Structure formats: C-alpha cells, structure tokens
Amino acid sequence: MVQDEASSSSVTSSPLQNFSNMPLHPAAASPTTPPWMLRELRSDERGLCLIHLLLNCAAAAAAGRLDAANAALDHIASLAAPDGDAMQRVAAAFAEALARRALRAWPGLCRALLLPRASPTPAEVAVARRHFLDLCPFLRLAAAAANQSILEAMESEKIVHVIDLGGADATQWLELLHLLAARPEGPPHLRLTSVYEHKEILSQTAMALTKEAERLDVPFQFNPVVSRLDALDVESLRVKTGEALAICSSIQLHCLLASDDDATAAAAAAVGETERRSPESGLSPSTSRADAFLGALWGLSPKVMVVTEQEASHNAVGLTERFVEALNYYAALFDCLEVGAARGSVERARVERWLLGEEIKNIVACDGAERRERHERLDRWTRRLEGAGFGRVPLSYYALLQARRVAQGLGCDGFKVHEEKGTFFLCWQDRALFSVSAWRGRRFD
Amino acid sequence: MAAASSAHFFSLGEAQMQQPQNGAGAPAPVVAAATPAPKKKRNQPGNPNPDAEVIALSPRTLMATNRFVCEVCNKGFQREQNLQLHRRGHNLPWKLKQKNPKETRRRVYLCPEPTCVHHDPSRALGDLTGIKKHFCRKHGEKKWKCDKCNKRYAVQSDWKAHSKTCGTREYRCDCGTLFSRRDSFITHRAFCDALAQESARMPPIGAGIYGSSSMAIGLSGMAASQLQSFQDQAHSSAATAISAGNAQFDHLMSSSGSPAFRATQPTSASSSPFYLGSADDGQAQPAGHTSLLHGKPAFHGLMQLPEQHQPAGNNGILNLGFFSGASGGGHDGRLLFPDQFNGNAAGNGRAGGGDHGNSSNTDSVSIFSGNMMGSGFSSLYNSPDQAVAPPQMSATALLQKAAQMGATTSSSGRGSVNSLLRGLGSGGALNGKPTGAGGFMAGDSSSRSTSQTAENESQFRDLMNTLAASGSGAGAVFGGGFPGVDDSKLSTRDFLGVGGGVVRSMNGAPGLPLRHGAAGLGMSTLEPEMK
C-alpha cells in the first residue's frame, strides 16, 4: 500500500504538485505555470487536473469567491472540450453549470444574454430523450420491468387503465401493447392516460400508439392530459371507480420536491447547525407538495404503481455536496454514453447537451422552485411512499430475468441489474444509477 | 362510531320511508330485513378525495326495480324524482328534493357476490346503475337471447346493443375461417397454423425493445469501424507486457459496448470482411433473431482480431468455444458471451436455469471488467515504463483516482482541495465495490493529514464530514448489499495490487477500515446509516 502511494506520487506528482501550489486568485503571481502549458498532457493527467479545477471552482462558487471561480473556469476551459473524452465532456458540462451559477450574481448579464432561452425546445428534449433511450439501456430496462409488473398485475382484467406520469415516450407503451396482444386470454381494453407538458409531443405519441394498437387489434384509447406534473389535477385523469389502474412514473416524481424554501434552509445551514443533522432537505415544507400528490395518487387506489427514479442524492442544501454527488453520478452516465456511441456521434452530443447538460445545470446553477431535478435515493422515496399509504410490491423474478436478458443482450457488460428486496437497481459498473420499484395502494382494513 | 351510525340511518332513511308507502307486498327494500345487513365503512382518513361511502346492498335490494311506489295507484318507479312527479297527477303533495352537492357524499357500491372482484371495497364501483348491471351481467341469469347468433344476455340493454351489430361486422382469419365475435377471432389467431409462419419471422418480444431490425445494418458499420479502431490500438499497446492483458480487455470493453448501440459511422471497406465472415458463422438460427444479430457478429469479429495480436498465453481467455455457438462451451468464468447468446439463441422460452447461468457469468465478467479498471490503475502505478500511454480512463475511474491521489498528495499543502478530494473519494468510493480499497486509503491518509497544519482545514472539515456522510451513507447501504452478493468473488479482485488481506478486511466489516480516519471523515455519521 505504501509502495503504491510512493509510486503514484512519483508518477503523477508533477502536474498536480504544480496544481496544489498554484493559487487560484489571479492577482497573486506564481512562478509555476500551469502544467498543460508546459507540455501536452496525457488524457488521465488532464482528467485529474480537470477534477481538481472543478472542485476548486465549486468550492469558490459556494463560498462566493467569484474571482477564484472565474480563474478556475478559465483553466477548465483550456482543458475541457465538449467533444473530447468522457472526462472532458463532463467537465465542460459542469463548467457551464458553474458559470451560470456564478452569473446569478449579475441578473442583468443573465437577462441580456437571454440565458433562459438557451434551453432546448420541447422537440429537442424529446429527441434527446429518444437518443438517450437508444444509447443507454437504463430507461429501457426500467420500462421493461414496469411493463412486466403491469402485465402481471392485470392478469385477468378485461379493462386496464394505465396512467403515464410524463414519460411521453411511445416506446414503452408500444411494448406494452405487444405484451397485451400476446396474452393467452386476449388483449384487454387498454386506456392510456398520458400526462405531459407539451401538447405536440403528446399528439405524436397518440398517433403512433393508436396506429400500432389498430394494427395489433387491441382495443385502445388514448387520453392526453396537457399539464405539468406539479400542477396536475388528479380529477382530470378521469379514473373510474373500481377499474383496474396502473400508474407508471419514469423519473418524474422528483420535480415535485422543488420548493422555494431553499433560501431559509441555506441560511440555517450557513450557521452550520442543520447541515450536520440533515444534509438533505427532507423537512416538511419542501415535501408537503410531494406528499399531497402521492396521497392523491393513493386515493385513486391503483393496483400497481411503478416508480423509476435516479438513484442519487442531488437534493442537498449545500452546493458542494450536490456538486460532488452530481460529478460522480454524471461521470458514470457519461462513461456509459462513451461506451455506447462513437466519438463524433451527434446523438450522444444531443443527449449530453439537451438532456444531461440541462439536468446538470439545474442541479448546480438553480435553487428554490427553479431547481426541479431533485433526485433522491430510494430509501427516502420509500419513506415518502409508505407515508402516503403505499405498500411495496416486489418486482417479480420473471421481470428480473427479462431485464437481465435485455441487459445482457446489449453485449456490454457494464450494465447490471441488481435486485434487492424486490427493487431493481440499474447499474453501470457497480454504481447504481436508477432504481425501479413497484407499489400498490393498501387496502382498506 | 356515532358518525357511522348516523350515516347508517341516513341511507336507510330512504329505504325506510318507503316502508309505510309500500303497504302490500312490494319487494322489501329495507336493507335490514334482507341478507346480509349492509356494511357501511368509511375510507381511511387522510384521503384527499372526498370520502366515498361504501355501500353493500343485498342482491334483492339491488335487483329491485321499482323501489318507489305510489300510494294511490301502486305504480312503481325507479327513481324518487319520478315518483314525485307522478304524485302531482294525483294532486298529492309532492316535493322535489334537490341533491345538495355539498352534503351529498360520494358513494361506491359493492357487488354482493363474494367471489366477484368488485366485492372488495378497493374495487368498488361508483354508480348504482353500474353495479346493478354488473351484477345482472356477471351473476345473473341470461334471459335475453340474440336471434342471429346464440349469444345470451342478462341485461336487456346489452342484448339490444348486440342485436344491432350482430352479423354486421365479420372477422376473417388468414386461414379462411369466419368469425363474428372479436374475442373468438383473436383467440383463434393466436393458435392458427397459418399464422405460425408469420409469427416465426417476427422478432421475439424482448427484441422489440431494441427497435427495428435496421439496427443490424447500423451495427455492421459500427462493428466494422470499431474493429478498425482497435486494430490500431492493439498495435500500439501490445508492446507492453503488463498492459497487453489490460488493453485486450479494454478493447473488449470499449468495443463490446458499441455493437449493441446504434452507429452513425459508415462502413469501412477494409473491415467489412470481419462482419461478413462472422455473419455467416453466426447464423445458426433463423434470421429472425435480431436480438442475436447485433451482438453476435460483432463478437465474432472481436474474437478473431485479438487472436491475431495476442501472444499464445492469453489466447485461452478468448475461448474458441464461442464459435460453436450452441454448445455449452466457454464456461470460463471470465467469458460472458457464448453462454449469453446461448441463452438468447434458444429463444425466450429458455428455462430459468439457463438464465441463471448467464447471470452468474455476467457477475463474474462484470467483476472481471471491474478488475480491468483496477488493473488499469495498477498499470499506472506499477509500470516502470512511464512512457506508455495507459488506456483511456473513464471519467469514473479518473474520479476515483483523483480521490486517492488527493489523499496521497495531501502532504504538499492546500488542504482545501484535498479535503474535497477526500470527500469526493469517500463519496464516490462507497458507491461501489471497486473503490472499497480506495476508501480505505482515503481513510488512512486522512488520519495522517489531520495532524498537519493546513490552512482552511477546519472550514472544509465540516464540509468533508457532510460529504463523507452523505456519500458514505448512501453508498454504505448499497455497498452493504453488494459484498454479500459477491462474497466469493471479492478475493479475486485486486485493484491496486494491494493484496487480498486488505480487501478481505474491507469485506468483513465494510465500515471498519474507514473508522481509522474517524476525525477526518466524520465516521460517527456513518454508524446510523449502516443499518
């Protein structure tokens, strides 16, 4: 062990020692020039430099030292590239997010640059999500597991009502149509209610699904509900009493945790008290909306509700914690994309820019009600769901086999499905990235 | 309970009011006289929807059609309102009661048949007319018969609706059989022999997830380009003794992922023979299995290429048994592919045993690939020849390395970044097994570093504690699961050339090594998280 450390420091001490001695403040003159100006760095050295720089910048931004953050960003810009290797691309995305965060101090600049309009259009987001489905199997695996649970829960039902809380992607439901059409007792009447913000995407989905249902001869009815999830009126879902209901939520529930009280929480954290006790904001004001929504869902008494969420804790109050967590998480995702797509792949660039990049920006640069990507780990969701009245239903073994088969069929052995107490964790190289769990409304006593 | 009983009276009230109006033997609508007594239950409190009152009526009450009877002429009515309007005709006092929407509670009804799904309160139906029809349809006698076909109905409206459409719509199967009913048509189609040919060519269900078969075409381009690209890599790095083994699996790692995904690169002519040649090898099954198609040909190509470049010693790893496809060969724990395509090849109906075999192979391979990453590390640390470019490290690997190095270079000052790096390391480390040793290192070195006088150390220590706590807490729950799962394999992994002893102690008590860095990592917070 000691020997390794010694050799490691001998291998990599040169660029990083310069680094550690290098002051961040531009005013302080330093005799050492940054290592990348001395020679061309190897990719791993460059990656390590980027990590150091990012952490420095995040620490500076969190502490409000914008000059230091600016210097760090400058250095990062010379090393990172949105079309480089995985670490470079991750660094570019996080650097942009940090820059936006720093710019919040000058709202005039933000508005003049029309920064909010730089976010992608709904069509671009839909395209990016499609590419993400293609390039990374996680959501496909989750969809397969969800479809399997729905199929099993609705085994002898003649009429099935499925509520889709915002996936708005037709692939999963096309699959479900196929599964239902292949049932031995014939397909049930399927009613699909899909909740999404943007009408055009919904109508495209509607057309694709209706066409396929006709082709398969499955009685099908599509009800679009154009609404944001946090403004959803449960009545508009038109659930008939007594019908067999399944709810599917694919990485949607976390936006319900967004609330405006970050300011007060941050102020309390600055004192240092709350940060030790509850590093994540699990306090009542911010989660009451989520609890109310979950309670409303429970009131619909679904037969099964499948929840897919990111398995990461990106909801801490402090920036640095979120930053470090997010860096690890998105590095894993970018690695996965790296394996999945060629270097100059347009699709991958779109995913990274319009989907993951937006998430990163939201996590790092936004606060309060704007920060909607409030990923939390499954144990916290479990507590919330159980608090709302749901009981956990283990995902079936057959669903596990299906998911594993899909994962293996992809040929890359980085993807694993880890099952624990009936919940699936979709992993990349042993890092769990998504969790899939199934729930049912508890019956009346 | 008083509230419940008042509701009891409330709904009985209607029924009881007719008792005096009945007089002569109309079917007794009073629930109390019928079997069973009604159970009116409340929903659980806290339901944001208005509480729905669950009402269970007896079959007699349910089927009673004319509950409201005029006292003068004994004419029966289904609804109270209709009776009141009728009473006007007799110059009797009448009163139209309006349902107060605020007071009226939503009611749901249970089916009295105990074997029915809707007998359960959670599946209660919302409409009285609905429950009546349901009860008739499902549990009643079918008195109405269609004259064209032989279908019988219990509810008159169903019968009428059917006779309108009977004979108007016909389904014809491809085998020539005619059906008037949709359900029998669909059932027939599922078993019809004439369609067997069609369905065999359709992709199996699982493959539907992969998208259209055009992927196969994209794959050939991908496989070809990847083959070409790692051909170059193989040349450059085959020279080094240590990294040869790593590079080989790096190629497998990097290019094994790609064939499964869509490709945008055009086919390169020089590499296409790989694909074509392997495509012929791989077609042991009908071409319908597109799910196989996109994995297998690429691997054929992959297997061919490294064989050419590797010294004989490493050859055994790329098991030639792969080419036999259907054979059970290649149970080399480190080789995933043959068995997995085996399992896929036999179709989706393959028994669970086959899948078990596959999954265990997957685990062993994934660990091995994790080992690859680790040995990638070790090649960096141990290789005396520093001029060799290590295989391109993934971002996660870089983060882990940064964490360890942040711990080791703490001696050079600037405690702030190193504290963050330690947090980074422990946050990232415990999220997965491969970094367990890294966490150990972080713990060790942090205990050394805390004795130093680094500036800003205290400010960032708090930060570090929370970092470690949040990262480690999350990871520990997860990591706690994993060592148990892959217990036997742990000893084979040796990420940093550390030796089995360290790793085993990590396995035995995942929290234990980290306690050494108690001051630095705030391990006190780890305890409650590690359930």
Side-chain angles (χ1 to χ4, degrees):
Chain A
M1 182 75 82
V2 179
Q3 175 191 7
D4 288 338
E5 290 162 23
S7 59
S8 74
S9 49
S10 68
V11 166
T12 49
S13 59
S14 50
L16 291 173
Q17 262 178 2
N18 284 342
F19 215 152
S20 346
N21 294 334
M22 185 172 50
L24 285 181
H25 201 282
S30 162
T32 54
T33 51
W36 50 89
M37 296 187 191
L38 293 175
R39 60 175 170 87
E40 184 70 25
L41 285 181
R42 295 201 311 256
S43 69
D44 53 332
E45 293 173 327
R46 182 179 59 208
L48 293 168
C49 285
L50 278 173
I51 295 173
H52 271 90
L53 284 165
L54 282 171
L55 293 173
N56 276 331
C57 186
R65 292 180 281 132
L66 294 182
D67 284 343
N70 176 53
L73 280 175
D74 201 23
H75 293 312
I76 293 176
S78 48
L79 286 180
D83 53 356
D85 67 13
M87 191 66 228
Q88 284 179 301
R89 299 197 315 270
V90 170
F94 275 91
E96 186 183 348
L98 283 169
R100 276 178 185 248
R101 191 185 179 95
L103 266 188
R104 280 189 336 176
W106 293 294
L109 282 183
C110 289
R111 290 166 67 185
L113 286 173
L114 301 177
L115 277 181
R117 297 220 205 130
S119 44
T121 67
E124 290 171 339
V125 170
V127 163
R129 287 168 88 177
R130 188 76 38 80
H131 290 323
F132 186 55
L133 273 186
D134 294 337
L135 291 177
C136 278
F138 301 114
L139 295 183
R140 262 183 289 158
L141 292 178
N147 282 344
Q148 188 60 35
S149 323
I150 295 178
L151 193 68
E152 286 165 8
M154 302 296 178
E155 209 173 287
S156 48
E157 298 288 341
K158 292 290 196 281
I159 301 183
V160 175
H161 185 187
V162 178
I163 294 182
D164 173 15
L165 288 181
D169 192 278
T171 355
Q172 177 176 358
W173 309 120
L174 288 171
E175 258 308 300
L176 186 64
L177 281 174
H178 282 278
L179 287 174
L180 289 175
R183 267 199 338 184
E185 65 260 28
H189 179 104
L190 176 65
R191 196 151 74 91
L192 177 64
T193 304
S194 200
V195 180
Y196 196 57
E197 276 185 85
H198 303 288
K199 198 162 153 206
E200 320 76 44
I201 315 290
L202 266 187
S203 37
Q204 285 173 14
T205 317
M207 278 191 326
L209 287 176
T210 329
K211 209 164 65 158
E212 185 68 9
E214 266 190 47
R215 193 183 73 84
L216 289 172
D217 214 3
V218 172
F220 178 70
Q221 189 188 359
F222 186 86
N223 301 333
V225 174
V226 183
S227 162
R228 262 173 51 148
L229 203 64
D230 38 11
L232 178 67
D233 175 20
V234 179
E235 293 299 315
S236 63
L237 297 173
R238 293 177 174 267
V239 175
K240 293 186 194 145
T241 349
E243 69 177 351
L245 178 68
I247 303 181
C248 184
S249 153
S250 180
I251 53 174
Q252 297 295 321
L253 289 182
H254 54 253
C255 69
L256 292 168
L257 299 174
S259 75
D260 257 326
D261 48 38
D262 276 355
T264 47
V271 181
E273 296 174 348
T274 47
E275 207 171 275
R276 279 204 195 101
R277 261 183 265 130
S278 55
E280 289 190 12
S281 55
L283 315 172
S284 38
S286 63
T287 57
S288 62
R289 185 166 14 146
D291 292 329
F293 187 78
L294 291 174
L297 288 185
W298 180 84
L300 300 174
S301 51
K303 270 195 114 170
V304 67
M305 176 160 95
V306 185
V307 174
T308 304
E309 276 292 323
Q310 284 100 338
E311 179 71 5
S313 44
H314 293 158
N315 201 10
V317 177
L319 171 68
T320 28
E321 307 164 42
R322 287 208 312 268
F323 190 84
V324 171
E325 263 288 325
L327 191 59
N328 277 305
Y329 184 80
Y330 286 98
L333 267 180
F334 272 66
D335 278 339
C336 167
L337 284 173
E338 172 93 14
V339 170
R343 181 50 79 87
S345 157
V346 171
E347 285 88 11
R348 187 183 66 182
R350 284 183 189 151
V351 171
E352 290 174 355
R353 196 166 69 238
W354 289 336
L355 193 64
L356 301 181
E358 291 298 310
E359 286 180 16
I360 294 174
K361 271 184 247 173
N362 196 267
I363 294 175
V364 172
C366 297
D367 263 328
E370 272 185 9
R371 179 155 62 91
R372 301 181 70 206
E373 301 287 341
R374 299 204 180 217
H375 311 155
E376 285 193 353
R377 289 185 189 260
L378 183 64
D379 50 354
R380 298 181 69 94
W381 281 113
T382 305
R383 263 182 274 152
R384 282 210 185 85
L385 286 164
E386 283 174 356
F390 286 96
R392 201 200 291 237
V393 167
L395 292 165
S396 76
Y397 189 65
Y398 187 63
L400 179 63
L401 292 183
Q402 288 272 67
R404 286 226 168 110
R405 189 177 287 140
V406 176
Q408 288 167 3
L410 298 165
C412 173
D413 48 1
F415 301 111
K416 281 182 15 178
V417 182
H418 173 64
E419 185 265 340
E420 190 174 311
K421 289 192 280 188
T423 314
F424 291 173
F425 291 95
L426 308 175
C427 315
W428 166 257
Q429 305 285 9
D430 294 334
R431 157 87 209 221
L433 293 179
F434 294 92
S435 69
V436 187
S437 52
W439 304 83
R440 62 169 169 82
R442 273 190 237 134
R443 298 192 166 164
F444 304 149
D445 291 327
Chain B
M1 249 346 182
S5 52
S6 69
H8 178 87
F9 284 129
F10 177 71
S11 70
L12 266 188
E14 264 186 55
Q16 280 190 346
M17 272 192 328
Q18 291 120 46
Q19 197 61 311
Q21 291 174 7
N22 270 344
V30 176
V31 181
T35 53
K39 310 165 287 225
K40 276 176 283 291
K41 288 180 262 192
R42 290 271 165 84
N43 278 11
Q44 302 289 347
N47 189 337
N49 283 340
D51 295 4
E53 198 180 334
V54 181
I55 299 189
L57 300 169
S58 76
R60 254 206 296 178
T61 324
L62 209 51
M63 300 306 295
T65 44
N66 298 337
R67 299 198 287 135
F68 305 91
V69 181
C70 172
E71 59 200 8
V72 168
C73 57
N74 277 345
K75 191 167 153 80
F77 295 91
Q78 294 216 20
R79 291 198 178 85
E80 163 84 27
Q81 316 264 44
N82 299 352
L83 172 64
Q84 292 301 320
L85 293 174
H86 167 84
R87 277 164 66 97
R88 280 195 304 188
H90 293 308
N91 292 327
L92 284 172
W94 59 279
K95 184 176 154 213
L96 275 178
K97 282 186 292 187
Q98 190 124 37
K99 265 197 339 181
N100 185 346
K102 286 215 171 70
E103 279 178 16
T104 312
R105 313 192 71 206
R106 178 133 163 267
R107 288 180 180 174
V108 293
Y109 301 88
L110 299 183
C111 178
E113 171 67 33
T115 60
C116 183
V117 179
H118 296 287
H119 189 69
D120 185 282
S122 66
R123 298 295 304 275
L125 297 173
D127 191 44
L128 181 59
T129 322
I131 193 87
K132 284 183 182 177
K133 284 206 177 154
H134 158 82
F135 186 69
C136 269
R137 270 190 208 117
K138 292 287 173 58
H139 315 298
E141 183 206 333
K142 300 191 172 168
K143 294 182 288 198
W144 305 91
K145 183 191 155 322
C146 173
D147 38 8
K148 290 181 214 153
C149 61
N150 265 341
K151 246 182 114 58
R152 307 185 69 89
Y153 292 92
V155 181
Q156 186 185 14
S157 52
D158 291 348
W159 170 78
K160 273 197 198 164
H162 166 80
S163 40
K164 276 192 206 165
T165 63
C166 184
T168 53
R169 189 168 172 194
E170 286 176 345
Y171 302 87
R172 185 186 287 275
C173 174
D174 289 346
C175 64
T177 326
L178 210 59
F179 295 88
S180 65
R181 290 165 53 175
R182 180 203 182 84
D183 46 357
S184 44
F185 173 53
I186 292 177
T187 315
H188 166 83
R189 274 208 309 186
F191 294 104
C192 181
D193 289 332
L195 291 177
Q197 298 291 325
E198 288 289 324
S199 55
R201 287 201 274 115
M202 293 269 288
I205 291 175
I209 294 175
Y210 304 134
S212 68
S213 55
S214 62
M215 271 187 69
I217 300 165
L219 271 164
S220 64
M222 187 46 143
S225 58
Q226 281 297 328
L227 290 175
Q228 190 168 41
S229 64
F230 75 65
Q231 210 168 357
D232 302 331
Q233 281 185 29
H235 279 300
S236 61
S237 54
T240 315
I242 290 177
S243 48
N246 299 334
Q248 165 193 0
F249 289 99
D250 198 25
H251 303 156
L252 275 181
M253 268 297 295
S254 57
S255 48
S256 60
S258 46
F261 307 114
R262 293 183 195 269
T264 53
Q265 297 195 353
T267 326
S268 66
S270 60
S271 309
S272 53
F274 280 120
Y275 175 70
L276 289 177
S278 54
D280 296 333
D281 288 340
Q283 297 310 325
Q285 296 87 6
H289 289 80
T290 52
S291 58
L292 288 180
L293 200 58
H294 55 250
K296 247 183 157 171
F299 286 119
H300 278 288
L302 279 179
M303 296 308 147
Q304 290 170 12
L305 188 58
E307 280 172 73
Q308 301 168 19
H309 289 282
Q310 287 310 316
N314 282 335
N315 227 354
I317 294 170
L318 295 172
N319 202 333
L320 284 175
F322 174 57
F323 283 100
S324 63
S327 78
H331 264 286
D332 185 336
R334 290 179 290 185
L335 190 55
L336 163 68
F337 320 111
D339 281 327
Q340 118 156 296
F341 288 108
N342 227 351
N344 276 340
N348 296 329
R350 173 57 84 123
D355 283 323
H356 275 295
N358 286 343
S359 54
S360 68
N361 274 343
T362 315
D363 286 343
S364 56
V365 170
S366 64
I367 287 166
F368 188 73
S369 62
N371 196 7
M372 187 277 296
M373 285 305 191
S375 55
F377 281 1
S378 61
S379 75
L380 277 171
Y381 283 121
N382 297 330
S383 76
D385 179 9
Q386 295 176 14
V388 172
Q392 194 147 52
M393 292 173 69
S394 68
T396 36
L398 282 170
L399 280 166
Q400 290 155 13
K401 188 165 174 214
Q404 287 143 25
M405 299 213 351
T408 59
T409 58
S410 58
S411 54
S412 51
R414 283 309 292 205
S416 58
V417 174
N418 294 318
S419 315
L420 274 179
L421 278 173
R422 275 195 294 270
L424 180 63
S426 59
L430 290 174
N431 279 325
K433 287 175 291 179
T435 58
F440 180 88
M441 280 181 66
D444 251 3
S445 49
S446 68
S447 64
R448 268 175 289 133
S449 69
T450 48
S451 60
Q452 299 166 8
T453 57
E455 67 274 17
N456 300 333
E457 187 70 9
S458 60
Q459 171 191 355
F460 286 95
R461 185 172 307 176
D462 299 342
L463 211 51
M464 227 169 37
N465 286 344
T466 54
L467 272 173
S470 62
S472 61
V477 174
F478 188 61
F482 262 4
V485 170
D486 287 343
D487 216 349
S488 58
K489 309 258 186 345
L490 204 53
S491 53
T492 66
R493 286 182 292 121
D494 195 0
F495 297 113
L496 302 165
V498 180
V502 172
V503 181
R504 249 178 250 121
S505 72
M506 260 302 293
N507 183 30
L512 207 46
L514 298 170
R515 290 206 193 107
H516 297 168
L521 287 181
M523 295 321 291
S524 55
T525 60
L526 181 63
E527 288 296 331
E529 311 257 23
M530 296 243 315
K531 302 188 180 89

